[in-house]
Amino acid sequence: MGWDHEGVRELLGAWALGAVPPAEEPRLLAHLAECEWCADEAGRLHDTVRLLDGGDPLLAYERIDRAATGEAAAEERTDRAARGRLLDSVLGQRPAAPRVAEHAAPYAAAVAGLEALLRELGDKGPWSTPVVHDWDVHATVAHLIAADESLALRLGLPARVPRAGDPGRGEPRDLSWREAWAHRTDEVIAHERTRTPARTVASWREQAAALLAAPEAHSAELAAQATTLLGVRLPIADHYVVRGFETWIHTDDIGRALGRPVPTPPDAHLWRLVRLGVRVLGLALGPQAVPVLLTVTGHGSEGEWVLGSEDEPVAAELVLDPVDFCLLLAGRYDPGEVPRGLSGDGRAARSVLERAARTAWL
Amino acid sequence: MENSRAPTDAEVHRRLVYGDESALAAAYDIYGGLVRRIALRVTHVPGAADDVAQEVFAHLWSRPYTYDPQRGTLRTWLSMLAHRRSVDWVRAEERHRKAASADEAALHAIPAPGPGPDEAVVDMERALLLHSALAELPLPQRQAVHLAYFAGHSYRQVAAELGIPEGTAKTRLRTALRRLAETLAEPPDTAAERGA
């Protein structure tokens, strides 16, 4: 039995494009033989497709995307030299994340990711879109100049923005590191407000590039030395991880503000952030806290840690996704709202989540 | 199909965003042939395939945020970008040719007689009009045509890949083709203006 006129009419576009499964074709053709209107329309649409092919009958219905139709594409490979030339030229337009030691790789990747996002804003883009705290996009990048600075100074690199407090007044020693850091952020933001976003981005990028070019970014041995930055004593290698963490979090902040989803860091980098986060959280909780078993699972891996006292039985178990764990540590999740699995003593688990959220300094 | 492909596209996108050059090479090895064949189909000039491929992959690499894996496959996105750039390539060539022949005519003060438009030339011009119109179709129709025409999908596969009912896929393909057919029926001036 043939199809009704309406049914065939709807199918004619697909048919002209060769997109009707063979099994359905005989019934369609039977209708065309008896319906002049459909036959005319089919002819017209078919001619249109023939012209899309450039009028060359040899090209008619030759599938452009052979891989998609399962045909061998081996002979389609362009020669290696042409491939190499094209890739070299394309890479010249945006440098790849520099090759660095493993501990600096999350930072190198995060810098590349933020650069890519900021490219989308151009010169006249929405730089004044509110992002986080009372910062817009421009100020968030300025904050990162201040945030990366402590490691840069520690490695002997110059400050990108003059320090108004130096040298006459000296560093106010009685400030906590948080206050000093907030003060420096304000100072850098105020300075960058007098410049264009493009120049602020250039300063941030140059400082990041200098950090990634430093010998400590290339040698695990050199980066093994512990130093106190931003209130926490860690090997320099871990301070690089912290830089990667903060850069990603602020990129994510900017992406959310601009409605552009930022992909999570590569799994290996994400897990490096998680492991460091667990250590920092463990230090913050201290050895006296009621012990809680923390399981972080997802994104290709899983880890378990007992946080708190080693002398008591585990009071509660918490299960978190690695991205959620990082967002919680970054203060981007309310401890009551972060998706989690929970069993045992709810109060003990909650105190871990609250401590994690309070660890945030970003 | 969509589900098994989506994570791969998301993964490639993620590596591109984070500056992993091996993702660029991987994308080129998977989709370079597709991009070149589309360029050849539109331009009929082998050298254009290099230009278009270069532009398309430079765009993917230097502006990875313009592709959003949540909104479609990388294959279709690259297919549409390659098509758009190919149409632009031909238009730019036409402008150069016209400018060059105008210079020549002024220099020699002799009107260029040129051969009469034979059928193949007319067909090529009409093909370009169609490709220009295709590049201007609304996104949902353009995606459907790319999947059917360039990727060789049946309307059922188009529906599955786009996550739409089969009836909608059929309608989009038909509406799109009718629109292209109308382009040819319009007086050449208007059609050329819109296509340009």
Side-chain angles (χ1 to χ4, degrees), chain A residues 63-113:
Chain A
R63 288 296 155 232
I64 292 282
D65 190 350
R66 293 174 190 172
T69 52
E71 292 172 52
E75 80 279 12
E76 298 288 324
R77 292 266 163 82
T78 50
D79 62 280
R80 304 295 293 179
R83 176 185 184 274
R85 277 196 305 276
L86 182 138
L87 294 180
D88 283 350
S89 154
V90 168
L91 283 168
Q93 299 186 33
R94 175 197 175 203
R99 291 201 175 88
V100 289
E102 264 181 41
H103 64 264
Y107 181 54
V111 167

Side-chain angles (χ1 to χ4, degrees), chain A residues 9-11 19 24 41 51-53 63-65 76 78 83 89 94 97 109 120 263-265 267, chain B residues 14 16-19 28-29 37 41 54 61 63 65 75 127 131 149-150 155-156 170-171 174 178:
Chain A
R9 201 179 63 163
E10 276 303 297
L11 206 50
E24 295 177 30
E41 174 84 342
L51 276 169
L52 267 181
D53 294 332
R63 288 296 155 232
I64 292 282
D65 190 350
E76 298 288 324
T78 50
R83 176 185 184 274
S89 154
R94 175 197 175 203
E120 293 306 313
T264 53
D267 289 347
Chain B
R14 169 155 79 157
L16 289 167
V17 161
Y18 289 110
Y28 179 78
D29 290 339
R37 283 190 295 276
R41 171 64 53 95
Q54 162 99 27
W61 171 249
R63 298 197 49 197
Y65 274 102
R75 177 183 296 280
H131 280 291
Y149 181 67
F150 290 122
Y155 73 86
R156 295 186 172 189
K170 284 191 271 189
T171 306
R174 177 165 172 266
R178 284 183 68 109

Side-chain angles (χ1 to χ4, degrees), chain A residues 86 90, chain B residues 28 32 35-36 39 48-59:
Chain A
L86 182 138
V90 168
Chain B
Y28 179 78
V35 165
R36 285 171 185 278
D50 289 331
D51 293 352
V52 170
Q54 162 99 27
E55 276 192 47
V56 165
F57 286 99
H59 188 89

Side-chain angles (χ1 to χ4, degrees), chain A residues 17 26 42 96 104 117 146 151 162 168 221 226 254 303 325 337 351:
Chain A
L17 286 160
L117 181 60
L151 179 58
E221 204 180 342
I254 295 171
F325 176 69
E337 285 170 6
S351 77

Side-chain angles (χ1 to χ4, degrees), chain A residues 203-229:
Chain A
S203 291
W204 162 75
R205 190 195 296 120
E206 284 161 16
Q207 181 170 261
L211 278 167
L212 290 166
E216 288 83 353
H218 296 263
S219 156
E221 204 180 342
L222 286 175
Q225 196 184 347
T227 187
T228 301
L229 294 174

Side-chain angles (χ1 to χ4, degrees), chain B residues 28-186:
Chain B
Y28 179 78
D29 290 339
I30 298 170
Y31 302 114
L34 166 69
V35 165
R36 285 171 185 278
R37 283 190 295 276
I38 286 175
L40 203 55
R41 171 64 53 95
V42 177
T43 65
H44 298 269
V45 178
D50 289 331
D51 293 352
V52 170
Q54 162 99 27
E55 276 192 47
V56 165
F57 286 99
H59 188 89
L60 176 69
W61 171 249
S62 58
R63 298 197 49 197
Y65 274 102
T66 51
Y67 168 62
D68 179 355
Q70 290 170 16
R71 298 177 65 182
T73 60
L74 184 55
R75 177 183 296 280
T76 305
W77 187 83
L78 286 171
S79 175
M80 292 192 293
L81 182 60
H83 185 261
R84 172 80 256 178
R85 292 298 160 96
S86 302
V87 169
D88 291 346
W89 189 93
V90 180
R91 291 282 176 221
E93 280 296 299
E94 269 187 347
R95 278 196 299 277
H96 288 149
R97 210 173 47 237
K98 278 181 187 156
S101 65
D103 286 352
E104 190 120 319
L107 196 64
H108 300 295
I110 300 168
D118 65 27
E119 205 175 317
V121 172
V122 171
D123 272 1
M124 290 289 285
E125 279 169 5
R126 281 148 61 92
L128 182 58
L129 265 184
L130 279 180
H131 280 291
S132 296
L134 168 54
E136 299 294 333
L137 285 176
L139 182 63
Q141 289 175 26
R142 204 160 13 117
Q143 283 176 324
V145 172
H146 271 261
L147 286 168
Y149 181 67
F150 290 122
H153 283 19
S154 72
Y155 73 86
R156 295 186 172 189
Q157 293 168 318
V158 171
E161 172 137 356
L162 295 178
I164 55 176
E166 289 179 357
T168 308
K170 284 191 271 189
T171 306
R172 283 187 192 173
L173 291 173
R174 177 165 172 266
T175 312
L177 263 197
R178 284 183 68 109
R179 182 74 206 88
L180 298 187
E182 282 162 16
T183 309
L184 291 177
E186 284 170 10

